[in-house]
Amino acid sequence: MSNTPLEDQVHDALHRRVDSIQHAPLTVTDVRHRARRIQRRRTAVAGVAVAAVLAIAIPFGLSATGSGQRSDVPPATQPPSPTPTLQLGSTVMVDPRGAEVVEETPVPLLDVDAPSLITPDGTTDLPHVYDTITPYLDGYVGVALNDQPGVPPVAIEFLGADLRVDDGGSPTGGLIVSPDGRRIGWSEYDGTRWRVFVADPAGQVEWVETTFPPSAETETVIPVGFVSDEAVAVRAMYDLGDTKTFVAGGGQPVEVQGLLQADAASPSLGVVAGITEFRPQGTCFGVVDAIARDGDPVWTTCDHRLGPFSAGGAYVVGISAEADGNGSPTITVLDAATGKEVVTFEAVLPRRTVGGFWTQMAWVGDEALVVRMFSGDDYFMMRLGLDGSVQRIGIPSAGVSGLQVAVPS
Amino acid sequence: MSATLVDMGSQDRRTDKDADFSAYMSARQPALYRTAYLLTGDHAGAEDLLQNAFAKLYLSWDRIRDRGALDGYVRRVMVNENNSLWRRAWKRREHSTDTMPETGTTDTYDDGMGGALWSFVQTLPPKQRAVVVLRYYEDLSEAEIAEELGISPGTVKSQASRALAALRARAPRSLNPHETGDAR
């Protein structure tokens, strides 16, 4: 053997090393999970054929928040619609016990105690509790809430079509969905710095990643809303110094002046809403241009804390400035361009009963709000139409925690 | 999951595709695993490399019309992946010197010479090692290797030549071409 040519000896050595190995450790399921991770992380555009290969089934929730699926969201260039039929400045009393009951939800809901995701198309059991969850590729992406030691209490998680968590686990400041459902955005802490991602839930367009300077995990970057098709407004919390507002649209974040704290944004208008001023007599709020970034408020109000913009950008929610841990006794819908009051919804509560509206809510286009209301120990999911209609979503929940919107606007 | 929203045609096509892919995987996994093992030198690395290559094949399944080219596709992905920068960095940690690593086994067929050669092969740079594996294990010609890896035949020839020179330099005197008659 020692006198054979080197190449023959190499040939023999390699064959002897492995010819007896008959390992087949991989299953098709292993490979499909890996393929999904590759597709998710590809920086190049994933083709339609690839998406088709991976499409085990169209997630049912896609009809509500998936790519290009929402029919109730008008293009940004269209005028606001519908025009409320109520007289401007009207007040609508919201009595959940006397309201019409509907059995379907216009937006995805979470049953906290199940836990499960409820959409117009059905109910899906979830592996654990999520604060927010939305379709992504052939599965979901969600903000998971954990209470185990050694695990980030709030983490971004990617679920496959089988609802198995197959990626994620990084600390997050939140997950948002654009009003037309064509993009999602979230923040992640990688151990050194915060990053903000904007992605196509269908996986066919390259991710947009914005990288923040190195910071502590506690200096959380919180997405508050989209300001354009590909950019989100974020609130950056700092251990020292003021909270800052940035636009994350790829590369480095760009600071937006004029707000002490960003709370919401609108891609139709390209604006960010939030706190503009702390005064001895109360806090004031306003809307600033995220594109011009000159810091001059478009309008301000000291009567309402500003909440989410409607899908088409026609309206913005005004919560009572006196809202506290018990919620807001009223929700006022404001004209997003001027700040003028359009309609106010006021909670009807039994005497000596604490209650109000949660500040986490979802718009149904420009037409209605879905909001959780509580009255004493009872919780109700309400649909509040800008035409003055009030409906209770009569879907039962698994436990006392009740329902909440799965994707807050 | 709502069945009403499922595109049944797409699902049928996917079922066919999964069946085809599964059949291919079942038939070829042991052989491709062996190649992966030769490229990486350890079982964990081989499994990871092969899983990645299968996943990329799965994603590209519709676009590869020549089923006879599947093995070549998987090998190309494995070689390219193994050559990529981060894997090379990982390899450097694993093989930080040219010192012959411990083999842990003795080749009973040639008094340990096969084991020694295997150890030397593991010290080769990834590109040279890939050419050695494809040339002397897969028995591909230089032209076939060039086509499979998307490089020129001249590059294949030079990588193979350097690899053999390195093996000779590190091997015992019994592998010296002047003593073994191997002057190629």
Side-chain angles (χ1 to χ4, degrees):
Chain A
M1 196 71 177
S2 61
N3 60 355
T4 58
L6 176 58
E7 288 176 296
D8 289 345
Q9 288 189 310
V10 172
H11 174 276
D12 292 346
L14 295 180
H15 276 274
R16 283 180 187 157
R17 187 71 194 182
V18 297
D19 278 354
S20 62
I21 297 176
Q22 290 294 328
H23 287 190
L26 303 170
T27 66
V28 175
T29 302
D30 295 332
V31 170
R32 279 171 40 198
H33 281 295
R34 183 71 170 263
R36 187 161 45 240
R37 278 166 48 201
I38 290 170
Q39 189 190 41
R40 186 175 295 143
R41 288 180 166 149
R42 270 182 176 161
T43 54
V45 174
V48 174
V50 175
V53 167
L54 285 178
I56 291 171
I58 301 169
F60 54 78
L62 207 59
S63 62
T65 57
S67 175
Q69 299 291 318
R70 290 177 66 152
S71 59
D72 55 349
V73 181
T77 52
Q78 283 189 2
S81 66
T83 302
T85 55
L86 294 170
Q87 187 178 355
L88 280 179
S90 297
T91 296
V92 175
M93 305 307 291
V94 179
D95 179 2
R97 294 174 179 83
E100 175 192 1
V101 179
V102 294
E103 301 299 331
E104 290 191 344
T105 174
V107 298
L109 300 177
L110 284 167
D111 186 341
V112 178
D113 291 331
S116 64
L117 176 64
I118 302 166
T119 78
D121 300 307
T123 299
T124 298
D125 292 334
L126 299 172
H128 52 254
V129 178
Y130 290 89
D131 177 69
T132 309
I133 190 164
T134 189
Y136 182 59
L137 300 184
D138 58 344
Y140 296 89
V141 57
V143 175
L145 305 178
N146 303 300
D147 53 12
Q148 305 96 318
V151 177
V154 183
I156 195 80
E157 284 188 353
F158 297 91
L159 288 74
D162 55 2
L163 296 176
R164 210 168 67 173
V165 178
D166 59 20
D167 203 0
S170 300
T172 184
L175 166 70
I176 57 174
V177 179
S178 66
D180 63 6
R182 293 181 181 179
R183 293 290 183 275
I184 61 174
W186 71 91
S187 64
E188 273 186 44
Y189 188 71
D190 66 5
T192 303
R193 65 185 75 221
W194 283 91
R195 299 176 190 274
V196 174
F197 298 89
V198 174
D200 171 12
Q204 298 185 22
V205 177
E206 185 176 354
W207 282 11
V208 176
E209 179 179 344
T210 304
T211 305
F212 283 71
S215 68
E217 180 185 333
T218 53
E219 299 183 315
T220 311
V221 172
I222 301 171
V224 299
F226 279 78
V227 293
S228 70
D229 288 345
E230 303 284 352
V232 299
V234 301
R235 178 168 80 225
M237 317 287 284
Y238 292 111
D239 292 338
L240 296 173
D242 297 329
T243 295
K244 290 186 176 179
T245 303
F246 294 95
V247 167
Q252 303 299 313
V254 178
E255 187 171 358
V256 176
Q257 303 291 335
L259 294 177
L260 301 176
Q261 175 180 298
D263 290 319
S266 168
S268 301
L269 304 174
V271 298
V272 187
I275 298 172
T276 55
E277 190 178 5
F278 292 116
R279 300 188 308 178
Q281 58 271 44
T283 304
C284 293
F285 309 88
V287 170
V288 299
D289 191 327
I291 309 302
R293 295 189 289 271
D294 54 13
D296 294 333
V298 180
W299 55 265
T300 61
T301 175
C302 299
D303 298 328
H304 305 285
R305 172 183 290 273
L306 298 179
F309 288 84
S310 62
Y315 307 111
V316 62
V317 166
I319 302 158
S320 170
E322 283 77 42
D324 55 18
N326 292 322
S328 175
T330 61
I331 289 177
T332 300
V333 175
L334 309 175
D335 185 321
T338 63
K340 293 188 184 313
E341 295 183 3
V342 175
V343 58
T344 294
F345 297 95
E346 182 176 335
V348 174
L349 301 170
R351 291 184 62 189
R352 293 189 294 277
T353 301
V354 174
F357 299 102
W358 264 28
T359 55
Q360 191 183 49
M361 61 189 80
W363 277 95
V364 183
D366 281 345
E367 303 164 6
L369 281 162
V370 173
V371 60
R372 174 168 152 140
M373 175 183 170
F374 68 99
S375 172
D377 292 332
D378 298 324
Y379 292 91
F380 308 95
M381 289 305 297
M382 306 299 297
R383 182 191 185 279
L384 310 178
L386 268 58
D387 58 1
S389 60
V390 174
Q391 295 172 318
R392 178 159 64 86
I393 298 170
I395 298 174
S397 61
V400 295
S401 300
L403 307 174
Q404 67 180 61
V405 295
V407 184
S409 293
Chain B
M1 194 68 63
S2 168
T4 59
L5 288 180
V6 175
D7 179 339
M8 299 309 289
S10 296
Q11 198 168 43
D12 288 346
R13 286 193 296 278
R14 181 185 164 275
T15 301
D16 292 344
K17 194 175 304 171
D18 270 10
D20 290 347
F21 182 83
S22 181
Y24 170 75
M25 242 186 91
S26 176
R28 298 299 300 150
Q29 186 175 180
L32 291 166
Y33 182 90
R34 290 192 284 272
T35 304
Y37 178 83
L38 291 174
L39 290 170
T40 61
D42 65 88
H43 289 288
E47 187 173 329
D48 184 59
L49 197 65
L50 184 58
Q51 187 182 32
N52 177 71
F54 274 146
K56 291 186 175 179
L57 174 67
Y58 185 78
L59 292 170
S60 302
W61 189 258
D62 280 347
R63 298 196 293 273
I64 303 175
R65 305 208 179 279
D66 179 6
R67 291 303 191 233
L70 293 174
D71 281 4
Y73 178 91
V74 173
R75 285 195 295 259
R76 180 167 64 244
V77 172
M78 289 197 298
V79 168
N80 289 339
E81 186 75 7
N82 201 47
N83 291 348
S84 65
L85 285 173
W86 73 268
R87 282 180 184 273
R88 274 193 284 166
W90 180 76
K91 282 291 174 195
R92 275 197 293 274
R93 289 200 298 276
E94 295 293 304
H95 306 291
S96 55
T97 72
D98 283 349
T99 305
M100 185 181 81
E102 293 293 330
T103 63
T105 60
T106 300
D107 192 317
T108 57
Y109 295 97
D110 61 357
D111 298 327
M113 190 55 67
L117 266 176
W118 164 242
S119 297
F120 295 133
V121 167
Q122 291 184 79
T123 66
L124 294 173
K127 289 179 182 175
Q128 291 180 24
R129 179 171 174 167
V131 168
V132 165
V133 170
L134 296 179
R135 181 75 184 91
Y136 302 114
Y137 175 71
E138 297 285 355
D139 292 325
L140 299 181
S141 68
E142 289 174 347
E144 288 170 329
I145 295 171
E147 185 173 345
E148 193 159 302
L149 300 186
I151 57 180
S152 70
T155 301
V156 174
K157 190 184 288 286
S158 66
Q159 293 281 1
S161 177
R162 285 178 197 161
L164 290 174
L167 291 177
R168 282 191 200 101
R170 295 168 195 171
R173 291 187 61 194
S174 57
L175 290 178
N176 187 300
H178 300 296
E179 294 192 13
T180 62
D182 181 9
R184 281 180 281 182

